[in-house]
Structure formats: C-alpha cells, structure tokens
Amino acid sequence: MSNRLILGDNLEILKDMPSNSVDLCYIDPPFFSNRNYEVIWGDSGEIASFKDRWSGGIEHYINWLYERVVEIHRVLKDTGSFYLHCDWHANNYIAVNILDKIFGRNNFRNEIVWCYKTRPQAKCYFGRKHDTIFLYTKTNKYVFNWEAVVRPLSDSTRMKYKLSDMDGRLYRLEGRGIKGSPIKSAKDVEAKWEKTNPELVVRDYLDEKVGVALEDWWEINTINQSSHELIGYPTQKPVALLERIIKASSNEGDMCLDCFCGGGTTISAARKLNRQFIGIDQSVQAIKVTQARLEKETDLFNNAPFVVKVHKYDYDMVRESEAFEFERFIIEQFGGEANIKQRGDYGIDGIKKDNKINIPIQAKRSDNVGRNIVDNFETSMRRYYQSLSKQIPANVTAGYIIAFSFSKGAVEEVARLKREENIIIKLIKVEEIIPIAKKPKIEIGYEWKEVEAKTDLLPKCTDKKIIFKIKSADNSKIELYQWDFNYNKDKGFKADIFMDKTGMQERIFESGSYDIAAKAIDSDGLECIEELRIIVNGGVKGTKSEPIIKQA
Ligand SMILES: C[S@@+](CC[C@H](N)C(=O)[O-])C[C@H]1O[C@@H](n2cnc3c(N)ncnc32)[C@H](O)[C@@H]1O
C-alpha cells in the first residue's frame, strides 16, 4: 500500500480497504455538538455528510458512527490500536454503544483526558475543558511503546541524584528491600550506608532513567491564533497530541489511518515520524489543505511520496502522460491486464478476461481515433487469435479499442464489421472508464495602493500594498485558493495561505522581484497553479515613484 489521501465518504472507502492492514487508527469525527458550528468548509461533500448525520438525534449519530467503526475494526491488524476522539456531547454513548460492542470491553485500554485552558469560562456549571480520547486495541497483544512518550523527570527529582561516581555519573542510593533491613524508605538511605552496609543499598543512576511513564490525563495546549502550526482549520488538533499517540501505539514503517483527517494533523505527524499513512475526508478542502501541508513539509521533515485521489482525473495529465504509462493505467482501470512486455504482442496492448476468453485491447492516448486504427486493430486481432489457434469469435465482443474519442469513420467501420462480418469491436471512451474533467483555469489580477508605513520614523513614509485578485478564466466553481508568496518552481508549490475562500490577498512588498503563485481547486479536487512575477520598483521611500509594479 502507498501513502495516500483520499477524497470521499470514509464508509465507502473503508469498505474497499483490505482487512488486517492498518496498525493504528485515530479518528476525530465531527462531534455531536452544536450543529450550527459544525460546518467548517461548507463544500458540497461536507454538507451532504452533515445532513446525513443530523437527520435524526443522538441515535442517528451513533448509528452513523457505528457502521464506520465496524469497518475500522475490520481493517485494523490484530495488534492494532484505535483512538477515538470525542467530547462530553456523546462520549458516554460512544463508549457503551459503539466501542464496547465492536471492540469488546476487555479490549478497552484507556480513557484519555486531554485537558486545556480555553475561554469562555462557564458560570452555571464547571468549565468543560477537556476532550476524551478512548483507546481500544483489537486484541490483548498490541504495540505500546511507553518509553517513547515518557514525561521528563522533574527538576526536584533530578536534584535527588546528588552522588557522583568515579566517571562523574550521578546517582542516588536506594534500599535493596532486604527483609529486616533498617532502610524502610528512600529517606532512610544515607551515603554512609554504602560504606558501612553495601549489601543493603543499590545505586540508582540518573542516566538510566528514561522518564516517568505517562498517565491518562494530558495537558497539551490547543491551537490558538498565534500558534505556529495554525493552518486556519477550526477544529485543528495540536501535532504534539498526535505525535504522542503515534509514538506510543505504532513503530516506524507502520500504517496509520485517519479517516476523518480534516486539516491533516495525524497525517503530518505520521509522515514526520516515518510511518505510512492513509488520510480520508469527504471534503475537498480538507484533503487539499492536508496535501498542501504535506507539500510544505516535504524537504523540511520527510520526503516520503504520497498520492492524492480526488473525484476526477485531470484530463491534461492523463492525456499528456507517457504512452506506456497511459496504456497500463487505463487498461488496469478498465479491469484488464496490460501487456507489460510490449513485444510479441501482435499489436495488442492488453487483454480483458471475459467468460474465460482473453479479449484483446488496444489503448490510444488520442482523440478522434480514425478508421485506420480500426483496420490495424482488426489485423492485429486476427494474428492474436491465430496465435491461440482460433478464429476471431463471431457475434460476441472480440476486441476493445480505448481512446479519448473516435472519428465518424471509425464508428462506421466498426458498424460495418459487425453487420457484414459478425465481428464485434467495442469502442470505449476514456471517460467511460474513469471520471475525467478539465482542470480549472484562472488569471491573477492585481492592483496596488500606497499605504502609510507602520513605523515611528519621521518623516512618515509609504509602503506599496499590492492587492491580488483571482479571476476564473473558464467559469469553473472554485472551492478553495492557496497562495505561495515565495514560489520556486523547482521546489514546487509551498503554501503560505492554506485556506482562502475569496481568492483575494493583500501584501506589502519592499522593492524587489517576487515570484508568486496561486492555486485554485474546484469541487472535484482538480487544481491549477498560476504564477506571477512582480517587480516592485519602490524608488525612494516617502516619495511617489512610478511605476511600482511590473509583471515579468
Ligand atoms: C473534527 S474534523 C477533524 C480535524 C482533524 N483531526 C485535524 O486536526 O485537522 C472532522 C472531519 O471529518 C470529516 N468528515 C465528516 N464526515 C465524514 C465522512 N463521512 N467521511 C469522511 N470524512 C468525514 C469532515 O469533513 C471534517 O474535516
């Protein structure tokens, strides 16, 4: 399995995943909370799922979640762990009606309480300042790396290691716990014991201490407006929380799944910690924010590659792919087997098994495929069937040609073959095999104005504020824009702004030359990148200098 992000309803995607394939699954599903605050992205996928959950009360929510947890349990390995993140709205229902039923009470390991201090303070009851994270394992043999997530020793504990050996290693003395020993507690041990009664004491070295094993209450700060991790996603969880979970319940190379991945915290942490990952979300925006997050982190933390599966394939990308790569991909998507050797194939690119006959396939990465291709294919088919000591079978499908589109001549020839020679060749368009669409097209427009500089220096001077505005060049519906204000084509798009619904950004620039790129993403998850180089000729600050911007 490869690292991947998948757009879609997790129930359907989980059903397609093999059993016993995941080591760790963490989910942070939409809480059974105030429904008005729940729609985050507002895209069509999210609204559909939102309605799905809210058409009934808590029972409906529990049923909705239950069927997903059944699938998660199935895809987990026998040594796998499951963390379910929820809060007071539904945690009692979830534990009893979902987790105990599916995983079994005996596989309950922890109810982790994640405590935080946020506003507002409650006045009618105690402030509800924790979330609950349930940990269940599939069986009683599971990964738990307690040493990977220990709490460091406190200063006061460290201070107790006052003695130093010949090598300078710090230690303290502990009683050996011998029956009748006068040493009843650590307090009773004194340095002199080591000389006078060495059999009663043992050295406890500081450098052998890994730390304190963690308890089930965790104090980790929530993401706030000044957090450096902030990507603008309202229910974004802190990386420290997910790192702890991943380190404790998986090993390097293990497969981690988050099928409600949102802004991709689990996925980013898993990749950073050298785990494999699968992220699923039904919102285009969530998947694309996660993708941008991973792309930004590439080179910084980890270069592990990943694929992103959205609703449609990009026409240009498929059309411009390398010929053999295209043949292989489209034939496999069609349910056939590609001819990898590309030799001794009688001009056949692959076969499709149908009632035990291997029907030949020809795949063309072109539009308007003409009659000559049908003629050539007919010859290839004859040779192919002859090699199997057969005639071209009559009145059943004898061959397939796959292409982007077919000419009138090709269609007429196929009809003639059927009518006059009982040979049936099926012409299959790529769009009948895979959902395919053109990516959106955009233009970046800009204007500028002078604004008073934020400085106390006198005389007051001005800055050049540039306002960028994206226009659609083909009327496609754009769900999300992202911006890279320091674009470097070789390094790829590294978002500075992950979530922009308006397509408008303002920035103040010093004099200089800047490469800027904007990405626009449509509702199918297809995206385009538009670049712009601007040269800001600031002239002397405080004077009106013109022109200030040139598009290179
Ligand atoms: C609370 S958020 C997850 C936040 C995430 N833990 C983070 O740190 O960014 C829940 C996510 O579940 C997604 N979701 C809701 N129903 C879904 C479904 N049926 N299939 C896949 N994703 C779903 C929503 O789109 C949303 O992004």
Side-chain angles (χ1 to χ4, degrees), residues 9-10 28 30 41 49 53 233 235 237 260 262-263 265 281-282:
D9 185 337
N10 48 20
D28 169 23
W41 313 101
S49 157
R53 268 192 312 285
Y233 176 62
T235 62
K237 300 297 177 291
F260 290 89
T265 313
D281 203 292
Q282 37 89 74

Side-chain angles (χ1 to χ4, degrees), residues 272-290:
K272 211 166 143 194
L273 296 169
N274 296 321
R275 272 60 170 178
Q276 300 182 75
F277 57 85
I278 299 176
I280 305 171
D281 203 292
Q282 37 89 74
S283 157
V284 166
Q285 316 207 27
I287 290 294
K288 287 292 169 174
V289 167
T290 303

Side-chain angles (χ1 to χ4, degrees), residues 8-11 26-31 38 40-41 46 49-50 52-53 64 68 231 233 235-238 242 258-266 280-283 286 293:
D9 185 337
N10 48 20
L11 184 59
Y26 162 90
I27 64 167
D28 169 23
F31 295 168
E38 200 207 312
I40 298 158
W41 313 101
E46 189 187 37
S49 157
F50 172 79
D52 179 25
R53 268 192 312 285
W64 174 86
R68 287 164 171 84
I231 52 166
Y233 176 62
T235 62
Q236 183 186 346
K237 300 297 177 291
L242 270 306
D258 184 345
C259 51
F260 290 89
C261 75
T265 313
T266 314
I280 305 171
D281 203 292
Q282 37 89 74
S283 157
R293 196 167 174 179

Side-chain angles (χ1 to χ4, degrees), residues 210-349:
V210 285
V212 182
L214 273 190
E215 302 81 3
D216 59 1
W217 49 271
W218 298 356
E219 285 179 299
I220 295 176
N221 290 339
T222 50
I223 304 284
N224 59 39
Q225 287 309 310
S226 55
S227 304
H228 67 278
E229 304 176 24
L230 185 79
I231 52 166
Y233 176 62
T235 62
Q236 183 186 346
K237 300 297 177 291
V239 171
L241 183 78
L242 270 306
E243 282 188 351
R244 188 174 281 183
I245 289 173
I246 293 168
K247 281 183 187 166
S249 291
S250 69
N251 295 314
E252 284 203 6
D254 280 359
M255 176 55 81
C256 299
L257 166 71
D258 184 345
C259 51
F260 290 89
C261 75
T265 313
T266 314
I267 303 305
S268 158
R271 188 177 187 235
K272 211 166 143 194
L273 296 169
N274 296 321
R275 272 60 170 178
Q276 300 182 75
F277 57 85
I278 299 176
I280 305 171
D281 203 292
Q282 37 89 74
S283 157
V284 166
Q285 316 207 27
I287 290 294
K288 287 292 169 174
V289 167
T290 303
Q291 177 185 342
R293 196 167 174 179
L294 296 187
E295 280 166 357
K296 179 128 188 171
E297 288 167 357
T298 298
D299 299 334
L300 216 56
F301 299 132
N302 190 316
N303 286 330
F306 59 96
V307 289
V308 185
K309 198 162 179 326
V310 293
H311 288 325
K312 295 217 170 136
Y313 288 89
D314 175 356
Y315 175 90
D316 294 330
M317 216 157 79
V318 178
R319 190 62 213 272
E320 283 151 27
S321 56
E322 196 268 324
F324 288 153
E325 206 180 289
F326 168 78
E327 284 169 17
R328 200 150 118 188
F329 165 74
I330 203 69
I331 289 172
E332 278 166 12
Q333 294 291 322
F334 186 51
E337 275 169 39
N339 174 8
I340 299 167
K341 288 187 294 188
Q342 297 291 334
R343 259 181 294 132
D345 56 358
Y346 311 100
I348 301 297
D349 295 326

Side-chain angles (χ1 to χ4, degrees), residues 344 346 348 351 356-360 380-393 398:
Y346 311 100
I348 301 297
I351 48 115
K356 296 192 190 127
I357 323 178
N358 289 342
I359 304 177
S380 302
M381 271 170 45
R382 278 189 205 288
R383 280 195 276 147
Y384 167 78
Y385 282 110
Q386 260 167 26
S387 76
L388 304 176
S389 312
K390 284 185 186 157
Q391 299 283 328
I392 295 185

